[in-house]
């Protein structure tokens, strides 16, 4: 903590958290001399913050009782963290919060000192965040309702539509809400199944918080549970170069165990797949040149499918 402005803010934070702090303790926490602490206190007073001091042996400082600090006082790193966090909301699938994030960002910028405001504006102009096609949109209102239920430890009722199945009415004690691999999940005890379950938020509707409290298990690790229910690693590691940019592939390639990155004017696709036959057929269906760098089995599968296609064409 070598930046003097950071030390001044630390003095303020300590004064907010304690009724009174001695000068000796401030000097020890900040690793400075008592005289330097006096300069930091004077700086706060110059900013209009009413810090009162008691002189003599055991001298101490405190904020004037009843004083309300301005709602926003951030360090440079805190301001940048907030600005980045607001921009990243849509990358968590919370597109409905985009207007709120823009409004909060505008308020943040207006309330910052000039130097910090310029840093945040530089971030807005200089940083690009790629919107992954694998992030599933999530209803922010539904998420907020689930978070209230988790906080209050009350069960919820909702309509759930699992993949290729009819909608069912569920009641669950939701222990945690988790974001993993582009999707939001509610994890807890399903009363219909009588067991621990996870529910995708994009498949939930009509969430209602019930007047039915529950006690969650201690130290429950929802993320570990959710990872344990995910499919095992794929049998084959695939590496293919495609002669199209990544943005033209987004929405056409499954996001399961798939990574797309620009390379040599095209796209490097790294993926894990169990069924090379169906993946080879998918590649043949793409309207672009490609090069398979691995595994060799995929190249052989493409060759066999190509030979079969040629043979079928010769019949007509």
């Amino acid at each position: 903590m070598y930046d003097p402005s950071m030390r001044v803010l630390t003095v303020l934070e300590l004064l907010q958290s304690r009724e009174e702090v001695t000068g000796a303790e401030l000097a020890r926490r900040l690793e400075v001399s008592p005289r330097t602490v006096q300069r930091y206190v004077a700086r706060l007073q110059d900013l209009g913050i009413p810090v009162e001091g008691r002189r003599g042996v055991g001298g101490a400082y405190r904020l004037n009782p009843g004083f309300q600090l301005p709602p926003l006082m951030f360090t440079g790193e805190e301001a940048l963290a907030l600005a980045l966090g607001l921009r990243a909301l849509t990358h968590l699938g919370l597109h409905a919060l985009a207007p709120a994030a823009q409004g909060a960002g505008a308020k943040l910028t207006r309330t910052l000192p000039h130097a910090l405001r310029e840093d945040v504006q530089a971030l807005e102009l200089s940083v690009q965040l790629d919107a992954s096609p694998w992030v599933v949109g999530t209803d922010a209102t539904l998420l907020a309702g689930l978070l209230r239920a988790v906080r209050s430890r009350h069960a919820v009722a909702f309509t759930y539509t699992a993949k290729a199945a009819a909608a069912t009415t569920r009641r669950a004690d939701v222990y945690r809400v988790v974001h993993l691999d582009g999707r939001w999940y509610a994890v807890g005890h399903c009363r219909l199944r009588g067991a621990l379950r996870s529910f995708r938020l994009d498949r939930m509707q009509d969430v209602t918080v019930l007047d039915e409290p529950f006690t969650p298990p201690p130290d429950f690790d929802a993320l570990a549970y959710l990872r344990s229910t995910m499919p095992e690693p794929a049998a084959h590691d695939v590496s293919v170069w495609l002669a199209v940019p990544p943005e033209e592939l987004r929405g056409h390639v499954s996001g399961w165990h798939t990574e797309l990155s620009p390379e040599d004017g095209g796209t490097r696709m790294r993926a894990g797949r169990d069924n090379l036959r169906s993946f080879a057929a998918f590649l043949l269906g793409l309207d672009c040149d490609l090069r398979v760098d691995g595994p060799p089995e995929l190249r052989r599968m493409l060759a066999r499918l190509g030979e079969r296609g040629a043979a079928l064409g010769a019949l007509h």
Side-chain angles (χ1 to χ4, degrees):
M1 190 192 303
Y2 297 102
D3 184 352
S5 62
M6 289 286 292
R7 288 191 172 112
V8 172
L9 287 173
T10 301
V11 171
L12 179 56
E13 290 173 359
L14 290 170
L15 291 174
Q16 290 181 84
S17 63
R18 306 267 290 277
E19 182 177 347
E20 189 176 82
V21 186
T22 67
E25 181 178 355
L26 288 173
R28 178 178 57 81
R29 294 284 294 271
L30 299 173
E31 299 178 350
V32 297
S33 68
R35 185 176 295 275
T36 302
V37 169
Q38 293 174 6
R39 289 204 301 269
Y40 293 158
V41 170
R43 176 59 177 155
L44 289 174
Q45 292 169 336
D46 290 342
L47 292 171
I49 298 174
V51 181
E52 299 178 348
R54 187 178 74 242
R55 296 183 180 275
V57 177
Y61 301 95
R62 69 170 186 170
L63 287 175
N64 188 6
F67 173 70
Q68 297 295 322
L69 290 170
L72 290 175
M73 296 188 71
F74 300 115
T75 66
E77 289 184 348
E78 289 171 342
L80 290 177
L82 286 169
L84 278 172
L86 290 170
R87 293 193 65 187
L89 275 176
T90 55
H91 299 270
L92 296 176
L94 301 173
H95 305 288
L97 292 181
Q102 292 173 357
K107 291 178 181 178
L108 173 65
T109 302
R110 287 197 303 269
T111 55
L112 290 175
H114 180 71
L116 292 184
R117 187 181 310 144
E118 287 187 339
D119 286 345
V120 170
Q121 290 172 342
L123 179 148
E124 296 289 341
L125 295 173
S126 307
V127 174
Q128 289 181 293
L129 299 178
D130 184 28
S132 170
W134 320 130
V135 175
V136 177
T138 298
D139 186 336
T141 303
L142 185 150
L143 173 61
L146 284 174
L147 294 178
R148 285 194 295 270
V150 171
R151 183 180 66 249
S152 65
R153 299 183 176 183
H154 279 74
V156 294
F158 55 94
T159 302
Y160 194 69
T161 306
K163 185 177 181 181
T168 57
T169 299
R170 303 288 187 102
R171 290 174 177 250
D173 304 333
V174 178
Y175 303 148
R176 293 287 187 276
V177 179
V178 180
H179 186 266
L180 177 65
D181 290 341
R183 293 186 175 93
W184 285 94
Y185 297 86
V187 180
H189 178 79
C190 175
R191 298 186 178 183
L192 178 64
R193 306 302 183 198
L196 197 61
R197 288 289 188 272
S198 65
F199 303 97
R200 281 175 45 175
L201 266 64
D202 59 300
R203 294 177 176 173
M204 299 173 69
Q205 290 182 320
D206 305 322
V207 173
T208 303
V209 180
L210 306 174
D211 189 19
E212 299 175 12
F214 67 88
T215 301
D219 303 322
F220 178 70
D221 191 336
L223 184 58
Y225 165 77
L226 194 57
R227 288 191 183 280
S228 72
T229 65
M230 295 295 175
E232 293 295 322
H236 302 281
D237 292 325
V238 173
S239 180
V240 180
W241 180 83
L242 302 158
V244 291
E247 53 268 20
E248 292 190 18
L249 293 170
R250 301 196 191 283
H252 300 285
V253 181
S254 170
W256 184 79
H257 287 208
T258 301
E259 176 188 343
L260 301 177
S261 57
E263 180 181 309
D264 296 336
T267 300
R268 170 64 58 184
M269 178 195 298
R270 292 182 175 85
R273 292 294 184 269
D274 292 319
N275 190 329
L276 289 182
R277 184 182 183 86
S278 62
F279 189 69
F282 159 75
L283 290 176
L284 289 175
L286 293 176
D287 188 19
C288 68
D289 293 334
L290 59 91
R291 181 183 72 246
V292 175
D293 294 324
E297 296 90 342
L298 179 57
R299 287 195 291 269
R300 291 194 288 269
M301 184 61 69
L302 282 168
R304 286 200 294 270
L305 290 178
E307 291 170 357
R308 184 184 179 199
L312 291 174
L315 294 177
H316 300 282

